[in-house]
Amino acid sequence: MNRLHPLSAIAYGLQYGFIWLWIPMVLVLVLGGIIDPVSPAWFPVAAPLGFVAGVAYGIGYYYRFEYGITPDTFDVASGVFARRSREIPYGRIQNVDVRQGVFQRLFGLATLSIETAGGGATEATLNFVSESEANRLQEQIRRRTADAKDRRRKRESSPAEEREPVDETGEITTESDETATPTDTEHSADPDPTVPSSDPTESRRDRAPTYEPPRRRKLFDLESRELLLYSFTSFRPAAAAAVLGLFFIATDTFIELLVTIAQPVGGPESIGEGTTTNYGVLTLVSMINGIVITYMLSVAYTFATYYDFRLGRADEDFVYERGLLQRYSGSIPVEKVQSVTVTANPLQRLIGYAGLWVETAGYGPDSNGGSQSAVPLAKQGRVHRFTENLTDVETPKFRSPPTMARRRYLVRYSMIAAVIVAIFFGIAQVTALDRWYLAAIVFAAVPPAAHLKYVHLGYYVGEDHLVIRRGFWSRRTTVIPYYRIQTVSTRRSIFQRRLGLASLVVDTASSRTFFWATPTIYDVDLEDARGVQRASRKRLQSALRERARDDDLGLSVDFT
């Protein structure tokens, strides 16, 4: 078993030291209100004691944290008082990601994270290992994971009578294993020279077969022009959250700054001194500045996140690297891919660009879901070719919903516009707001909004894939192999039943449904929805039988 880098002892010591610093201070504060002899004057003594105890615990955590590679599992043992040992089978490992922050890159360190299939969080994290050790572990675990899956597929595809016998512990036994002597076993197992070991008599379980790292094939590089376009044409909600957080932390400072900026264009001299017009100018200027600041933060965040983005292929996995301040390196297992989505907002469509995302079953590093960017931004034709090569889907010929759906959107958006006018009318009754009726101009946006929503909806029922297109502000075209479909359900609201329409919800094993809605075919005729449902069910069964016979991954790993 191996330990983390020695610098992790210092990091853990400081981390727990500052956490435990507050424990005795809180105890003194609480006990001071209950027991008279306890006084807040004990703070100068209690705080250092808590810090020293935390540092001791952090150093103990470092010495009690061990990890190791075995032929069948990746083992992690941790805990100072409550010991926890984990054996992670390679067949369940989905992603092995390496992350480097600014501090870590300066000292040649890295953090390695292991995610398992179906998990919503990291299964094991190795903080502060050397960069070379992180890369070695990443390559070895990835290779062993691929080997475990290959062995499983071979066992599942071989006839029952030809399968190797398995003992009660689940290990494969052969006649040669039963008759082998200890001497033969020792000489037949060669230690892996790449695995550090201080014990020359370590067991066979701790030894690993020698292999060469897989050759990576470059599939996509994000060019400088594409990176800038992607940064300026996309928006990150995290930027808005950051601005709101800074505003609540330093509210007074922000208000003074906004008042100062608004004064030259007619804003109030200070809060509490000014007319209604002055405050209107302040509100408008503050909104504009908030939007500009949020947008620039989003540009900077996107640029730093996808700087030097590279996508490649290693064995049966896609591997990627990205990041300026924090460098990420991870993998996208091909066999875990549930669907492929082409995304483009109006500005990106205007300049002829699009992005490509893949949905995986389980944990996804980009958004705490099962989604990962394969191509952040590229020419639409190039992205479409990537998609066709990745999924082997034929060029889709989309079917649009009936025109009745457009009438439904007209009614829906008209109701929203009426609510907006009613809100302005209510404000006018309790304030000095005049001409509230000017809010009725929102009705002018109803027809184009209904039309744009309608024309961006479509679906295609192919031989091996179901393709769904929806969305105007963020148009998403999702390609779903039939064998990845979990359920296909028909949903009808009260209004849809009156119009004879229905929506078809296609669910896969992907966990990213919180940020992106489940792929849905909206507002099609009821009979068409039922026809698509029957066709999807029938082709799902055919795809499963064909995959069981051919034992194929179903997705090509050749973008080019």
Side-chain angles (χ1 to χ4, degrees), residues 99-111 127-128 326:
R99 182 178 70 254
Q100 288 185 284
V102 177
F103 172 81
Q104 293 169 322
R105 295 175 72 178
L106 287 176
F107 290 91
L109 304 176
T111 297
N127 288 309
F128 291 149
Q326 280 198 332

Side-chain angles (χ1 to χ4, degrees), residues 260-556:
T260 303
I261 295 175
Q263 285 177 358
V265 292
E269 293 295 330
S270 63
I271 296 297
E273 299 179 3
T275 63
T276 303
T277 303
N278 296 141
Y279 286 113
V281 171
L282 174 63
T283 302
L284 182 61
V285 172
S286 300
M287 290 178 59
I288 294 175
N289 280 280
I291 293 173
V292 172
I293 293 173
T294 303
Y295 174 71
M296 296 309 298
L297 280 178
S298 174
V299 171
Y301 177 81
T302 305
F303 183 90
T305 301
Y306 288 94
Y307 177 82
D308 195 24
F309 180 94
R310 303 174 186 176
L311 179 70
R313 188 188 77 183
D315 292 333
E316 298 299 333
D317 291 345
F318 297 125
V319 291
Y320 66 90
E321 296 181 13
R322 60 176 174 83
L324 177 61
L325 300 179
Q326 280 198 332
R327 191 69 181 166
Y328 294 88
S329 173
S331 59
I332 308 173
V334 172
E335 69 170 15
K336 300 298 182 182
V337 173
Q338 302 295 306
S339 61
V340 178
T341 301
V342 177
T343 63
N345 58 40
L347 186 56
Q348 291 170 348
R349 295 197 299 271
L350 181 64
I351 61 178
Y353 279 76
L356 179 66
W357 292 71
V358 294
E359 309 286 333
T360 58
Y363 180 86
D366 268 10
S367 57
N368 294 327
S371 186
Q372 173 62 44
S373 177
V375 178
L377 194 70
K379 285 285 188 181
Q380 285 185 355
R382 188 180 178 191
V383 172
H384 292 163
R385 287 193 299 271
F386 281 0
T387 306
E388 293 175 359
N389 291 337
L390 175 62
T391 61
D392 290 330
V393 65
E394 58 271 30
T395 302
K397 299 178 181 178
F398 290 103
R399 293 184 59 183
S400 298
T403 55
M404 183 68 68
R406 181 159 43 194
R407 292 171 52 188
R408 181 178 179 233
Y409 303 145
L410 279 170
V411 174
R412 177 191 298 177
Y413 293 144
S414 296
M415 294 174 62
I416 295 175
V419 170
I420 294 175
V421 174
I423 291 174
F424 274 88
F425 175 76
I427 295 175
Q429 303 307 307
V430 296
T431 64
L433 178 66
D434 295 329
R435 299 180 182 180
W436 58 266
Y437 48 85
L438 293 179
I441 195 174
V442 297
F443 280 98
V446 169
H451 176 72
L452 290 174
K453 180 176 178 61
Y454 173 79
V455 297
H456 286 88
L457 294 177
Y459 66 95
Y460 170 72
V461 182
E463 291 297 325
D464 302 309
H465 303 80
L466 184 64
V467 186
I468 302 174
R469 183 182 66 190
R470 71 274 187 209
F472 167 72
W473 294 109
S474 179
R475 190 174 70 186
R476 301 186 297 276
T477 305
T478 302
V479 181
I480 307 173
Y482 287 116
Y483 69 91
R484 291 302 191 188
I485 294 177
Q486 299 288 316
T487 59
V488 181
S489 57
T490 303
R491 298 181 184 177
R492 304 181 70 197
S493 65
I494 298 175
F495 302 103
Q496 287 177 317
R497 288 199 294 269
R498 290 177 58 89
L499 299 175
L501 301 177
S503 295
L504 201 67
V505 181
V506 182
D507 192 16
T508 65
S510 172
S511 63
R512 184 171 184 182
T513 56
F514 182 79
F515 297 95
W516 287 356
T518 304
T520 303
I521 303 175
Y522 291 102
D523 297 320
V524 296
D525 286 326
L526 178 60
E527 291 304 319
D528 290 342
R530 290 173 175 171
V532 174
Q533 188 177 24
R534 289 192 297 269
S536 300
R537 189 183 303 116
K538 183 185 300 182
R539 294 178 184 181
L540 167 62
Q541 298 301 323
S542 301
L544 291 177
R545 287 194 297 269
E546 183 177 350
R547 278 175 54 80
R549 182 176 64 250
D550 297 340
D551 190 34
D552 185 17
L553 287 175
L555 288 172
S556 169

